[in-house]
Amino acid sequence: MDGQPSPPTSPLLRGHLAPPPRTLVDIFRATVQRHPDVPALDNGATSLTYAEFDEAASDVAEQLISVGVGPGAKVGVRVRSGTVDLYVAIMAILLAGGAYVPVDADDPDERARTVFDEAAVTAIVGNDLVITVPEPRATQSLDAPMGDVAAASRDGIPGGGATSHSAAAAQASPTPVTPPPDPDREPAPEDDAWVIFTSGSTGKPKGVAVTHRNAAAFVDAESRMFLQDKPIGPHDRVMAGLSVAFDASCEEMWLAWRYGACLVPAPRALVRSGVDLGPWLVANEVTVVSTVPTLVALWPTEALARVRLLIMGGEACPPELAARLATPAREVWNTYGPTEATVVACGAQLTGAGPVRIGLPLDGWDLAVVDSEGMPVGPGQSGELIIGGVGLARYLDPVKDAEKYAPMPTLGWERAYRSGDLVVSDEAGLLFQGRADDQVKVGGRRIELGEIDSALLRLPGVTGAAAAVRATASGTKIIVGYVTVEPATPATPATPAASAVTGAAQGDHPAYRGGFRPGRRPRPAQG
């Protein structure tokens, strides 16, 4: 023996099986070299082969480099969903060496401004691939009138005082706000690839930075899970239906781009309707889908006739749905993973028999289930899920990072993510039980109800507020905000306050889609 420690025997510990380090750029270039003439993107109006995709993204990357983007820089993305330009922008940022910071084009301007400011973006790519360079943070006003914000945000810009130029027709480059990068410097595994913002309990979204090492390990580890008998390839078409501000969209993209498959963006209107996506899947010959169970439940079984890989995540999967979808010709997987651990930490193939599990870790990830003292629980016992391994990302906020990724001496881990999720320890595959706090998931989005409470309480005339998850008659989960407003007077009528509740709450939080209805606030569970 060479004196090296033996690998762990628990199926929950797979950190020692991490794929070799590389970057997403390495993965993309390898695919372009293997499949240059195979379709990479097809939204029905525009189709690009991998060679054309590479050329288009490289052109935009050159423009980004000219305004100071390079390894270490962060670049905002706010481009209309369903367009080829959206994915060209994302790839261009990666090729330039930067990390992309996505905001959904339909999200409120205030959300965009908050995200881009928190991330300290060097540039922003907007509609029609227009690149805008914000003013240096020292001089940029965060109190610009919303009219100015709205005007600028048509191209994804969170405020006025910025300089823009078109990637399609380059103009003279403005003075870079960061030192020009070394043109020979390629992104390294330790450089950031993307920054996704999640809901925050204080009303402030939390930025999570994922490195190329994290992201590429995730992409490569999934290649060891799905469709081992007949891997994804150029014959496959992958649906892109999730918002790029949702980290599961990264799975959609790289389920196509690692293997030479074609990414097929779905129109946002169809995604919102849900049920209309079924015929679209058939018409577009989609074979691979990654989405949330709520959406899949709306589709008739025949809509999935061509789908040979269905991955569900983001929320609990009902057992009856798993039983209906799993067939000998289709792999169905239930996956679990917080943004803080790079999209997916574990998964289980569903057969329709037995309980729905969140499964075992990906190669490179470690899982542990601990009690309130941080000690591992026994088989069949429940506790908090702790995640370690190659997928651990980091918070932009160093204080938050130190808190949530602190060492776990009881496990011997120098860095560990405390998920806040309760699971049952089972070496056949973990079973999800719920949250240990008031965080909820609606449509796959993680939402802190306290964030919505805070947004409502900031409104004029509101003296009390609480948010809760309710179900519609059809079973769809929605968030409802309850408020107490100041009594109406001749000077302060109640109607404007009611309008402000609906309008401003939607502006502060993209997941809030409620309306104003007078009534009693729900009583907290603790009384």
Side-chain angles (χ1 to χ4, degrees), residues 79-408:
V79 179
R80 283 183 294 268
S81 298
T83 64
V84 166
D85 281 355
L86 174 59
Y87 300 97
V88 170
I90 288 172
M91 186 57 69
I93 294 166
L94 295 173
L95 293 178
Y100 71 92
V101 185
V103 171
D104 194 289
D106 294 334
D107 279 354
D109 295 329
E110 183 63 26
R111 174 82 175 187
R113 184 160 58 173
T114 298
V115 166
F116 292 155
D117 180 64
E118 286 294 315
V121 298
T122 299
I124 301 163
V125 183
N127 291 326
D128 302 317
L129 297 176
V130 172
I131 300 170
T132 305
V133 179
E135 289 182 355
R137 299 182 82 202
T139 60
Q140 183 179 355
S141 170
L142 298 183
D143 298 317
M146 285 307 295
D148 294 342
V149 173
S153 68
R154 284 174 299 186
D155 292 317
I157 311 309
T163 304
S164 66
H165 77 168
S166 170
Q171 301 172 1
S173 300
T175 302
V177 297
T178 59
D182 181 347
D184 296 324
R185 165 86 151 88
E186 289 283 322
E190 62 269 19
D191 291 319
D192 291 338
W194 68 68
V195 177
I196 298 285
F197 278 75
T198 68
S199 181
S201 58
T202 62
K204 181 179 179 181
K206 303 172 294 187
V208 179
V210 170
T211 67
H212 280 273
R213 173 60 173 141
N214 302 144
F218 158 67
V219 173
D220 286 337
E222 284 206 326
S223 74
R224 302 176 183 179
M225 292 175 64
F226 308 135
L227 297 174
Q228 295 302 291
D229 292 338
K230 189 177 180 182
I232 300 170
H235 55 283
D236 283 299
R237 291 169 64 84
V238 183
M239 181 184 86
L242 299 171
S243 165
V244 294
F246 182 27
D247 68 331
S249 66
C250 307
E251 181 174 59
E252 292 179 323
M253 287 183 261
W254 292 96
L255 281 171
W257 299 340
R258 187 191 187 279
Y259 309 90
C262 183
L263 190 71
V264 187
R268 176 52 57 89
L270 289 183
V271 175
R272 283 178 170 161
S273 72
V275 67
D276 294 332
L277 263 180
W280 181 89
L281 290 171
V282 175
N284 285 273
E285 301 180 339
V286 169
T287 60
V288 177
V289 173
S290 171
T291 190
V292 295
T294 301
L295 196 57
V296 180
L298 298 174
W299 304 337
T301 303
E302 55 269 22
L304 297 170
R306 290 179 178 267
V307 175
R308 66 192 195 97
L309 175 61
L310 174 62
I311 306 167
M312 293 183 289
E315 59 191 30
C317 177
E320 60 274 13
L321 183 63
R324 176 168 71 87
L325 297 174
T327 71
R330 179 187 307 121
E331 279 192 17
V332 179
W333 287 77
N334 186 42
T335 60
Y336 163 91
T339 303
E340 291 84 349
T342 311
V343 190
V344 172
C346 55
Q349 187 172 353
L350 303 182
T351 63
V356 175
R357 302 178 184 272
I358 60 171
L360 299 174
L362 278 65
D363 285 357
W365 276 248
D366 289 323
L367 305 179
V369 186
V370 304
D371 60 20
S372 59
E373 302 298 321
M375 299 300 297
V377 304
Q381 295 183 315
S382 64
E384 182 182 7
L385 177 59
I386 309 297
I387 305 174
V390 72
L392 293 187
R394 76 180 192 283
Y395 284 115
L396 296 182
D397 180 350
V399 175
K400 188 72 174 177
D401 186 79
E403 172 195 347
K404 295 293 285 187
Y405 289 100
M408 285 287 293

